[in-house]
Amino acid sequence: MDEQAETLREVEHELTALLRRGRAVSWEVAREVHPNLEPNAYGLLLWLRRYESVRLTDLAARLGIGKGTLSRQIRALEALGLVRRAPDPSDRRASQLSLTEEGQQRFDAARAARLGHIRRVLESWPAHDVAEFGRLLARFNDAWS
């Protein structure tokens, strides 16, 4: 077996372990935001927190999911009082999505706990390794899409 193939297998193994842990953490963090929140909805809240206000179609394109699927997920977040949908002033057919004040507060509290865990995991790493890790993860994610 050549060295590159073995290296790729190791990357796949570590990525699988990371994703498995990520799913478990997503369940925990979702419950911290709201007891009835689906785990995959944390990622939606993360994007809404980043953009503050975004069109549903733009968010669907960024996430690579269909508008219908996203709309169903957003309706569930609206029902929990975490997200609001408002008419887009530039296009009445579209809507702008944003976190409610409660959604923002709950998300920020859960995110602080998650960042604290990440900080504890990486605290023994040199700062340049943490920066490089972040840079490489961003590069990987950009190439994946």
Side-chain angles (χ1 to χ4, degrees):
M1 181 178 325
D2 72 26
E3 190 173 325
Q4 184 178 21
E6 185 57 34
T7 300
L8 289 175
R9 284 184 182 87
E10 185 63 27
V11 168
E12 188 239 0
H13 173 79
E14 294 301 330
L15 186 57
T16 299
L18 178 66
L19 293 172
R20 185 180 64 246
R21 282 189 190 93
R23 280 190 300 272
V25 168
S26 289
W27 277 98
E28 293 170 19
V29 173
R31 296 296 177 250
E32 288 177 31
V33 174
H34 192 284
N36 297 325
L37 186 67
E38 291 292 322
N40 62 351
Y42 178 83
L44 290 176
L45 297 176
L46 178 71
W47 283 103
L48 290 171
R49 184 67 171 104
R50 174 179 281 178
Y51 290 122
E52 293 187 18
S53 180
V54 64
R55 290 175 63 170
L56 187 134
T57 53
D58 294 339
L59 185 59
R62 175 66 178 139
L63 297 174
I65 59 177
K67 289 186 295 186
T69 298
L70 180 59
S71 189
R72 282 189 298 280
Q73 293 174 341
I74 293 297
R75 278 194 300 275
L77 293 171
E78 286 177 299
L80 295 175
L82 303 174
V83 171
R84 79 171 61 82
R85 189 186 311 233
D88 185 336
S90 64
D91 182 353
R92 289 184 294 170
R93 298 168 297 162
S95 46
Q96 288 280 333
L97 305 171
S98 60
L99 294 179
T100 62
E101 187 174 326
E102 179 182 358
Q104 186 171 325
Q105 289 171 351
R106 286 175 173 257
F107 174 82
D108 288 350
R111 186 180 204 190
R114 188 176 202 181
L115 288 173
H117 181 73
I118 293 169
R119 185 176 290 110
R120 286 187 297 281
V121 168
L122 297 175
E123 70 186 355
S124 66
W125 291 28
H128 67 275
D129 283 358
V130 175
E132 182 69 359
F133 182 59
R135 186 187 71 75
L136 290 171
L137 279 174
R139 182 176 169 192
F140 180 81
N141 283 327
D142 287 347
W144 193 275
S145 41

